[in-house]
Structure formats: C-alpha cells, structure tokens
C-alpha cells in the first residue's frame, strides 16, 4: 500500500513488474488449486448416489472440535503463567528460557508424537481410549505453549502498570485489579494466540495418527482413513470441505472477537519487567514455569532415554543399527539415504518457497492489487496437508504427453512441501519488505538507480535476515512434513518422517528403538536448520 | 480485514470446485505404456530391478531372495504398503504412476476391486503351481495369480479350557453362550483383513441374520481390536502371551507356533473358518514386464513356496512344496471353510463394513 506513491511506470520485466506474481500464482494453481479442487470435485462426484459414512464423519468432526478446544484451554492454562514468568519478571536466564520455549514449536509432529509414545510405553492407561485422548491433548499443549508465550508475552511485557496501581490505590484487590484492568488489555493477544493454537490443534495429523492408535479419529486422520482404507473419496472430499470450514470459521470468530475487543487496551508504555522479590517471588516464577517445563522435558527425555536404552544397557546400538547402511525391511531404503533425501528436499523447498515468497512480497508492496496475491498465497494454510497430498496423487502423477512425469523427476514431494511452506515464508518476508521506508526507494530512484539496483542495494540488506529466516522455516517445515508426504512418497524413497512412521508400525523392540533414534536425529536436524537461519520465532505465527 | 478477504477467497474456491465437479467425472486415462504385454515366447533374459509391493506381513528369508537374484540376474526390492485393504487402495489411487512392477498380497476379499480398476496386466504363469490341484479350486480373478492361502479361524487356548473344566466352543453359535462371556477377541474388519474375513464368514453363515449375530456377540462381552497382532499377541491367554481372552481370531496355521514340549496348547475351531487366498499380479505401466513375469514365476517355484509356511504362516498353492511336519500334525485346514463369491464380496464389502462399524463400534 505504501508503494502507491511511486507512480513511475516500470520498464518491462523489471523488479517492479506484475510478471513477478505470475510464478507464484502459476505454481499454486498447478500444485495446490488443481489437486485440491480435483479431489473435492471427484469426491463430490463419487458421493452422488452413494451412502456416506455420516456418523463416522460427524464423530470425527466432533472429536476434532473437542480435542482442539480442550487442547487450547489447557495450552492457555499452562502458557499464560509461563508468559508471565518469562516476560513480566526479570531474572537471569529468562531470555534463554524464552528461546528454549520456542524449540518444541519447530519440532516435527512425528517426533513429538513419538516422544509421547516413548513416554507412555508400557502404561496400560495409554492404550485405552481415554488414555489416547489425554496423550493427544498433552502433545497439543507441548507444541503450542510456545505460541501463547510468543504472542501474549510481548504484549504483556509492554502493558503499562500505572493503571493497575491506580486501581489498587482506589481500593481494588490485587485480583480484581488484574481481572478488570490487565486482563481486558491482554484479551486481544490471548484471543489471537487461542485462535492460532486452535488451528494447529485441529489440523494436527501426525500427532493423532501416531497417538490415536486407529481408534481416535479427527477430520484429518479420517480423510486419510477414508481414502486409504475405504477408497471413499466422497467422504474424503466432504471432510476436506469440513476442514476448510473449520479453519475459515475460526479465523472469522477470531477476527470478530478482536474487532470487538479492540480499543479496550491499556496504553502501552515502557513497562519494566520486575525482579522477583524474595523467596516468594522466586517461588512464583518456578511455579508458573514448571507445568510448561514438565510438558516439554518429560516426553523429550523419555524419547532420548528410550533411544539409548537397549537390551544390553545404555548404548548407541539403535543409532548404529539405524545408520549401518542396511536397507530397512519394508521400505527398501537405508535410514541414511532417507535422511539425505529429507535434507535435499528441505533445501529445494527452502530455495523455491523463499524465492516465490520474495516475488509475492515484491508484488504485494509494489502493485496496487498486490495484496490479493499475498492473501492467495496464504490459502494453503486453510487446507489440510492430507488433502494436498491426496489431491496431488490423483492429479499430478500422470505422465505428460512429452513423457515427462513429476514422479520420475522426484518432484512430487518437494512440490507439496513448497505448497505447505510458501504461506509461512511469505508471512515472514512480506512484513519485512513492507517495513522498508518507501522514501528510501524513492530517494535511490531519484538519484538514478534502476529498480533492480534499488532492490539490491537498498532493500535487500534490510530484508536479508527475514529472507534467511523464511528459508529456515521452510526447511524446518519440509523436514517435518508428514500429512502430504505420506500419500506421495515413492517405494524405496521414504523421507525420514515416513520412515519413522513405518518403523513405528513394525513389531519388535529393535524397530521401535530405531524409530526413537531416528526421531532424535530428525529433531537435531530440524533444530540445526532453525538455529542456522537465526531465530525461528516468527515461524508459524500467522495471526 | 485480511481474514474477511481470506474467507471470500475460500468460498470462491469452494464455488469453483462445485462447478468443476460436473466436468471432472470423466474416467482417468490409463497410462499409455506399451499396451502389449511381452509375448510369452520372449527368450530375452530379464534384467534390471523388479519392485514388489507387498502387505505389511510379507517376509521371506534373504537367502531365498539372493538365490533367485543370482540365478535370474534380476534385483528384487520389496516394499510394504500397509495392511491388505490399504495395499489395494494405494494401487487404485496411484494407477497413473504405478508404485511397483509386481504386487503380492492382494487377498480374495479385495481381489475384485483390483480386477475392476484395470490396474493389472493379464498373465498366465507357465509354472506348474499355477495349475496345481489347489490353484484350480480357487476362485480365479482377472490378472491375479494365486500364491498362497490360509484359513482364518477362531483359535482357542486349550490350557484355559482344561484348567477351568469347561468345554471349548466349536461353532459360531457356541460363542453366544453365556458361559463364554468376555472370552472372545476379534479384529476390526475396517482395519484388518482377518477381521474382514470373519465378518464375511458370519454373513455367509447367518445370511440376513448376521446383524443379530453380532449384536448378540457384542452383548456377550466381545472385544474388538484394530489389528491381528493386538488380538493375538496381546489379548490371547495362550501360555506364550498371557492375555485375558481364551478365544481369539487368528488362522488355522497358528497352533503349530504354540506347541510347547511337543504338546499343542491352542487349537483352531475348524467350523469357524473362512478361506483367504493371496494373489500376486503384474502392474500395468511396468517397464520390466519380462522381469515382473519372472518374479511371479519365482513366487510359484517350490523354493519360494516351501518357505511360505515358516515365513508367513500360510499354505503354499503348489502341490509339490514341502510343508513342515508340525503343520501336518497341528495345523489341519478346515474341511468345509465358509466362503463368498468375489462378486458378492465386491458388491457388499464396503456396506457391510460400514454397517458393522455402526452396529458394533458405534
């Protein structure tokens, strides 16, 4: 929007040209819109005149709503005290702890789900349905506490304390003052965080498929089940639409709520986080952080512990067995080559998604209707990755007349990963580019710099870090992507997450041990990528 | 603002979808690979790699595979694609880009779905086992070659019934007797192929009364698990496992594994069996037809066939394959297994599973 002032007609195909928008649009049209619409169209076609499993579908929808709601409430209950301790209290290590709190967020879903499997292994309760539901909710909390901390924390940190003290001075109790003065000011941030958490919970395929043991079905896993087990694409399509509606209505409710609540906020000032006073203050911090700490540390320790606890005592046997180069039964691939494949795909995904996201951001900041392009690019966020995978399988596997096939070129999986990663990359880059003062560009242009030079010399240095961050996020998403990949992976060419899932389904302690070891490796790979690309915090905060 | 726009766009997508629903129903094009399957008389020695898609329970000793690879010059890769139904559905979903050259492990409860989808090349193996006594008696399905078979039967824990001074049940009806309350564990037909076989068996045995049968079974304390290994390894009370259910769904070939000190501890109820046949087929679109045919022939060879009882607990179709002595002693086949024609299975399977799910799990 800010770019409107610069009315100079750009030369053809310059950095300002709308042509830049063609690549991302064409990409999404082929790899997202076509597969998704084709799947839904075919499903609706199949559904005509056949009976759909309405009760199963309804119960999957109900389970999704219930699990997501419980997950969100618990995440807030654990995340808000943590946010308070990390952002309202000043103590040594708070910054480090804040960085640490973000770690679970970038971990692949399959790793987190497997960590909880490692934790509950052997517990009889975990094999019952209530046990499975509880474990799933715990995994939701694990993932999303970071969202609450990162979204609510900074707002909380900036709350001006004076009105709170004014209320106290006027006789309000501490509790009343907090409820009547501080809470309303925080509510918009809490709503934003809750909506984001809710969305992540409701589209958490990997967690439910691994921890649900086939008897807990959410919309996402039911799509997978209907397609894979029953070949009922009609049901899959209806569930896909249901998923889109769930996402859309969540966004709508969140935006309505925020609209209503806006303006009730306190003035933001440079409030200082307080040092804890005395043992009671320290105790409060410990008490506020320990639930989050338990939720993070216990499953991850269980995962690492199980990965080194072998029949012969503590050792790296499972790691050695995993990476001794042998082909694992049933996948016709070694774990090392699966890891290599995952890394390659992550690099391709990061490169392409970041380039396309940059193009989107350029168009969005320079062309009058460019904002629409940005919104279009966000659409895949609203569609289950399972739908993207299944749709791609039905449409993109055909051989083109010239003999070219995406399957032979090994491009099917990277393409799906790019679809999933592009919205996130765009969300990171666009605000950074928008934040560049247009007067800088105008000044450079006035001094005779071509649009390309303006971009290279003025904007690029300012947005470089965001671009790196976007690339890191795209790579991390790709490394952990499971929902779409499970449909698209080819025989003999598993990615690390699909390999882990395969190992989890095979009998014997050794396979399970190798699955735990592979999860630790994947987690380390993901964290390394996230760290290299600077700070993962902007990652999945789309609201 | 942004949210509202996103909503508009989302509804646009849905609208487009609805519109294109009409045009998209044309049948998908079958891949334009060489339409003619290699002539049977081709003498060229097959080379290259043959990928075989299997169900998750596939297992064959490495030595057997190596021996074939050395003799044939082929490289064989086995890739597991899920349980029986999932295997077939993946074949159907990926017919534009076949996942492999050969598929093994399609059973008779799903055979017709593969035949209908037109995803297999016709092939009649010259191997003697393809026309063995047993093969001749099995229902033939387009493009599929029978490799092995087994009887899905209820198994009982003999030690439990002996120590509780209770006669073991014999028939399906016996299971409804209150004295067998809370004793039966079976698998979910939606997620497990023996479960599906057992459901089809009850339909074959009870006709329209199958729903009443299951309602009564459920009322008598039936447990349903999602996989055979849950029912057999976890629930079964047999001495080797120590679960809490003395009557479980398994195979006629299971008891030999439970022989302790030369004495059987379990037995299959031969009046409660459904015959399951597993087939192999060559996938349309393979670029190694000769290699694929050689692999199917190998699966019918006595080298491969004789390994099947020990590796996969199924009976070979070959008349000349060797069968372990303890199978002859403790794993007799059912003299009169229940069965259902492939056509009837095709037309009724999905509805039966859905009705069953509503009835028993709902």
């Amino acid at each position: 929007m800010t770019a409107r002032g610069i009315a100079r007609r750009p030369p053809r195909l310059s950095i300002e040209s709308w042509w830049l928008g063609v690549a991302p649009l064409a990409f999404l049209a082929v790899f997202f819109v076509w597969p998704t619409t084709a799947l839904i169209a075919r499903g609706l076609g199949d559904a005509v005149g056949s009976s759909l499993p309405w009760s199963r579908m309804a119960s999957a929808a109900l389970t999704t709503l219930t699990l997501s709601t419980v997950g969100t409430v618990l995440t807030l209950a654990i995340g808000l005290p943590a946010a308070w301790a990390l952002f309202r209290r000043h103590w040594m290590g708070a910054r480090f702890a804040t960085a640490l709190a973000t770690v679970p967020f970038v971990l692949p879903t399959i790793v987190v789900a497997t960590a909880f499997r490692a934790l509950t292994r052997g517990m009889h309760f975990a094999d019952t349905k209530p046990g499975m539901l509880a474990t799933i909710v715990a995994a939701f909390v694990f993932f999303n506490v970071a969202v609450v901390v990162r979204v609510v924390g900074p707002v909380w940190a900036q709350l001006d304390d004076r009105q709170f003290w004014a209320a106290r001075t006027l006789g309000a109790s501490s509790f009343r003052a907090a409820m009547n003065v501080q809470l309303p000011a925080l509510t918009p941030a809490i709503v934003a965080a809750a909506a984001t958490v809710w969305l992540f919970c409701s589209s958490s395929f990997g967690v439910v498929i691994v921890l649900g043991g086939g008897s807990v079905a959410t919309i996402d896993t039911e799509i997978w089940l209907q397609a894979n087990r029953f070949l009922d694409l009609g049901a899959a399509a209806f569930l896909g639409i249901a998923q889109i509606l769930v996402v859309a209505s969540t966004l709508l409710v969140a935006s309505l709520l925020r609209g209503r609540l806006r303006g009730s906020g306190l003035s933001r000032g440079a409030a200082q986080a307080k040092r804890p006073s005395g043992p009671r203050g320290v105790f409060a911090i410990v008490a506020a952080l320990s639930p989050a700490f338990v939720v993070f540390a216990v499953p991850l320790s269980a995962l690492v512990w199980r990965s080194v606890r072998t029949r012969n005592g503590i050792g790296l046997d499972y790691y050695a067995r995993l990476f001794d180069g042998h082909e694992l039964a049933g996948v016709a691939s070694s774990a090392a080559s699966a890891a290599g494949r995952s890394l390659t795909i992550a690099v391709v995904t990061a490169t392409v998604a970041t380039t396309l996201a940059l193009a989107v951001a350029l168009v969005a900041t320079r062309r009058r209707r460019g904002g629409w392009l940005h919104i279009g690019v966000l659409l895949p966020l609203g569609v289950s990755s399972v739908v993207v995978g299944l749709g791609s399988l039905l449409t993109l596997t055909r051989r083109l007349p010239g003999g070219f096939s995406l399957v032979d070129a090994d491009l099917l999986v990277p393409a799906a990963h790019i679809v999933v990663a592009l919205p996130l990359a765009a969300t990171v880059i666009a605000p950074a580019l928008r934040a560049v003062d247009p007067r800088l560009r105008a000044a450079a242009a006035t001094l005779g710099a071509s649009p390309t030079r303006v971009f290279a010399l003025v904007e690029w240095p300012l947005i470089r870090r965001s671009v790196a961050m976007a690339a890191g996020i795209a790579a991390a998403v790709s490394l952990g992507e499971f929902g779409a990949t499970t449909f698209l992976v080819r025989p003999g060419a598993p990615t690390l997450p699909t390999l882990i899932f395969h190992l989890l389904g095979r009998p014997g302690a050794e396979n399970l041990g190798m699955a735990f070891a592979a999860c630790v490796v994947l987690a380390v790979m993901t964290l390394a990528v996230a760290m290299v690309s600077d700070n993962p915090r902007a990652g999945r905060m789309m609201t | 603002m942004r949210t509202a726009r996103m909503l508009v766009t989302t509804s646009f997508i849905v609208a487009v979808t609805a519109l294109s629903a009409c045009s998209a129903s044309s049948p998908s094009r079958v891949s334009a690979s060489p339409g003619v399957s290699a002539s049977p008389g081709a003498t060229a020695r097959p080379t290259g790699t043959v990928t075989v898609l299997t169900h998750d329970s596939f297992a064959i000793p490495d030595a057997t595979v190596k021996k074939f690879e050395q003799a044939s010059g082929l490289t064989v890769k086995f890739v597991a694609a899920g349980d029986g139904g999932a295997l077939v559905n993946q074949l159907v979903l990926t017919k534009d880009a076949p996942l492999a050259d050969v598929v093994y492990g399609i059973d008779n409860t799903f055979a017709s779905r593969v035949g209908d989808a037109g995803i297999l090349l016709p092939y009649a193996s010259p191997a003697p086992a393809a026309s063995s006594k047993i093969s001749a008696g099995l229902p033939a399905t387009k493009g599929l070659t029978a490799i092995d078979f087994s009887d899905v039967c209820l198994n009982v824990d003999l030690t439990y019934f002996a120590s509780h001074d209770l006669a073991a049940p014999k028939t399906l009806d016996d299971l409804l007797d209150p004295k067998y309350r809370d004793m039966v564990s079976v698998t979910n037909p939606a997620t497990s192929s023996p479960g599906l076989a057992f459901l089809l068996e009850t339909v074959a045995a009870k006709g329209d009364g199958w729903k009443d049968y299951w309602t009564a079974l459920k009322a008598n304390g039936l447990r349903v698990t999602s996989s055979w290994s849950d029912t057999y390894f976890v629930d079964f009370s047999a001495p080797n496992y120590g679960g809490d259910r003395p009557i479980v769904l398994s195979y006629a070939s299971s008891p030999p594994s439970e022989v302790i000190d030369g004495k059987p501890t379990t037995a299959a109820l031969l009046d409660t069996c459904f015959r399951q046949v597993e087939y192999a087929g060559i996938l349309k679109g393979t670029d190694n037809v000769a290699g694929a045919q050689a692999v199917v022939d190998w699966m019918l060879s006595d080298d491969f066939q004789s390994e099947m009882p020990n590796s996969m607990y199924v009976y070979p179709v070959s008349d000349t394959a060797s069968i372990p002595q303890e199978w002859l002693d403790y794993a007799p086949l059912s003299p009169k297994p229940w069965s259902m024609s492939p056509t009837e299975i095709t037309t009724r399977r999905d509805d039966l599973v859905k009705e069953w799910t509503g009835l028993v799990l709902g």
Side-chain angles (χ1 to χ4, degrees), chain A residues 37 40-41 56 228-232 244 248 251-252 255 330 332 372 375 379 393 397-399 407 490-491 542, chain B residues 2-3 5 7 9-10 17 21 29 79-80 83 86 89-90 92-94 96-99 113 190 353-354 357:
Chain A
T37 48
I40 293 180
R56 278 190 71 97
N228 229 342
R229 295 280 188 206
F230 302 122
L231 208 63
D232 190 340
I244 293 172
L251 292 176
L252 183 68
S255 119
W372 279 101
I375 289 160
L379 280 181
L393 191 65
T397 52
R398 289 176 212 167
R399 201 169 284 280
V407 176
R490 303 293 297 178
M542 47 193 217
Chain B
R2 210 170 77 182
T3 319
R5 279 206 211 164
L7 278 179
T9 324
T10 311
T17 308
R29 190 171 56 91
V79 179
D83 213 340
N89 293 343
Q90 285 208 31
V92 176
L93 287 173
T94 56
D96 288 325
L99 293 166
R113 178 177 282 175
V353 170
K354 283 172 192 173
T357 307

Side-chain angles (χ1 to χ4, degrees), chain A residues 475-487:
Chain A
V477 165
S478 166
L479 281 175
E481 213 293 326
F482 181 62
T485 317
T486 168
F487 280 104

Side-chain angles (χ1 to χ4, degrees), chain A residues 1 32-33 37 40-42 44-45 51 53 56 213 225-233 241 244 247-249 251-252 255 258 327 330-332 371-372 374-376 378-379 381-382 390 393-394 397-399 407 487 489-492 502 506 542-543, chain B residues 1-10 13-14 16-18 20-21 24-25 28-29 51 53 56 58 77-90 92-94 96-100 110 113 190-192 226 350-351 353-354 357-358 361:
Chain A
M1 317 286 157
F32 171 65
V33 179
T37 48
I40 293 180
R42 182 165 159 190
L44 295 182
S51 68
R56 278 190 71 97
L225 191 80
Q226 289 295 338
N228 229 342
R229 295 280 188 206
F230 302 122
L231 208 63
D232 190 340
L233 297 182
I241 295 172
I244 293 172
V247 173
S249 44
L251 292 176
L252 183 68
S255 119
R258 267 191 293 172
E327 285 200 354
V331 287
W372 279 101
H374 188 199
I375 289 160
L378 293 179
L379 280 181
L381 285 179
L390 181 55
L393 191 65
L394 294 175
T397 52
R398 289 176 212 167
R399 201 169 284 280
V407 176
F487 280 104
V489 71
R490 303 293 297 178
H502 177 82
R506 292 193 81 86
M542 47 193 217
T543 29
Chain B
M1 242 306 266
R2 210 170 77 182
T3 319
R5 279 206 211 164
M6 187 156 168
L7 278 179
V8 172
T9 324
T10 311
I13 293 255
V14 173
V16 169
T17 308
S20 57
S25 50
S28 356
R29 190 171 56 91
T51 305
L53 206 64
D56 281 345
F58 177 82
K77 281 188 169 199
F78 294 97
V79 179
D83 213 340
L87 169 70
V88 170
N89 293 343
Q90 285 208 31
V92 176
L93 287 173
T94 56
D96 288 325
L99 293 166
F110 280 98
R113 178 177 282 175
T191 56
S192 127
S226 61
D350 292 354
D351 290 340
V353 170
K354 283 172 192 173
T357 307
L361 299 183

Side-chain angles (χ1 to χ4, degrees), chain A residues 39 205 220-221 223-224 383-391 481 483-484 487:
Chain A
L39 167 65
F205 174 74
D220 270 14
T221 63
I223 293 175
W224 179 81
V383 177
S384 159
S385 61
V386 179
V387 169
V388 173
L390 181 55
E481 213 293 326
F487 280 104

